[in-house]
Amino acid sequence: MTITFKAENYAESDAILVSFDARWDSLLREGKVRAVIRRRVPKSNSPAWLYFYVKSPVAKVIGRAGITRIQSLSPRAIMAQAEPLQLSRAEISDYCAGYSSVGFVALGPVELGDLRAGLEELRAAGDFFPPQSFTYLSLEGQCFLDRALGIAGSRGQSAQRSRKTRQRKS
C-alpha cells in the first residue's frame, strides 16, 4: 500500500507538517519551542496538530505538538514572542524584514515518538517530500506518522472515526 502524505483537500486535514533546519532538533526535542513563525500559514482552516520534520542531516519527523492558536502578527508583536520562539530579536527582525505581518503558531506540549520516522522510511511508504514551509497532511499520512512515531490516541484517528460517522448519518 502506498501512503499519500499530502492532503488533496486541506479541509479534510487537521494536521500540518512543517520543516525545520537541523539546528532546531534539540530545541524541539527539549520542548523549548512553544511557537513558530512562518511567512505562510494555514488561513482557511485551523489544523489541530503540527508535525516536526527536521531537515538533513537529521532527516526525520521527530514528533508533533497541538496547535493552540494561529494568527497573523506584526513584526513588532512577534518581537515580544522571542522566548517561546527561541529566536533572538535580530533573527526575528531579519525574518520579518519587508513583511507587515507574519504567521504566528502557538503550540501546546511537544509529543516525541519512541520511534523516529526517517526520510528513507517515509519515502518507502509513499509520496513523502519534505515541505519548504508547511503542507497539509492527509488523514492516512497523519495516521502513518502517528504509528511510525509510536504516538497513541491520534486526533487524526479520531477525526477519521468522526468523518465515517458523519458519512453514515448523511
Side-chain angles (χ1 to χ4, degrees):
M1 178 168 104
T2 300
I3 303 292
T4 300
F5 285 95
K6 187 175 180 179
E8 300 261 339
N9 178 349
Y10 65 82
E12 294 183 12
S13 177
D14 74 344
I16 57 174
L17 178 70
V18 176
S19 291
F20 293 86
D21 290 332
R23 77 177 187 103
W24 292 95
D25 186 42
S26 62
L27 292 169
L28 290 166
R29 290 175 192 271
E30 294 166 11
K32 291 182 179 177
V33 177
R34 296 186 316 279
V36 298
I37 53 175
R38 287 290 188 259
R39 291 182 185 120
R40 234 177 37 87
V41 293
K43 294 182 184 192
S44 299
N45 81 338
S46 295
W49 296 101
L50 185 146
Y51 286 75
F52 307 106
Y53 175 79
V54 180
K55 297 176 187 177
S56 184
V58 178
K60 293 180 180 181
V61 175
I62 63 165
R64 70 180 184 183
I67 295 173
T68 61
R69 183 175 79 246
I70 298 176
Q71 64 189 121
S72 289
L73 295 176
S74 70
R76 185 176 182 173
I78 296 288
M79 286 288 184
Q81 302 296 327
E83 197 270 324
L85 291 166
Q86 293 294 297
L87 292 169
S88 70
R89 292 178 68 80
E91 289 171 312
I92 292 170
S93 181
D94 288 347
Y95 189 83
C96 294
Y99 290 86
S100 60
S101 68
V102 174
F104 177 83
V105 182
L107 303 173
V110 171
E111 297 178 51
L112 297 174
D114 296 327
L115 306 170
R116 304 298 186 261
L119 185 58
E120 288 181 20
E121 176 187 9
L122 295 168
R123 286 197 170 146
D127 66 348
F128 184 84
F129 296 96
Q132 265 191 309
S133 178
F134 77 92
T135 191
Y136 290 96
L137 283 170
S138 69
L139 184 57
E140 71 176 333
Q142 182 182 6
C143 291
F144 178 88
L145 290 179
D146 287 344
R147 285 190 306 273
L149 291 165
I151 297 173
S154 139
R155 179 171 164 111
Q157 293 167 345
S158 300
Q160 186 175 31
R161 284 192 294 273
S162 66
R163 279 191 195 105
K164 286 181 181 175
T165 301
R166 284 195 307 263
Q167 288 171 347
R168 281 193 294 254
K169 289 180 180 177
S170 299

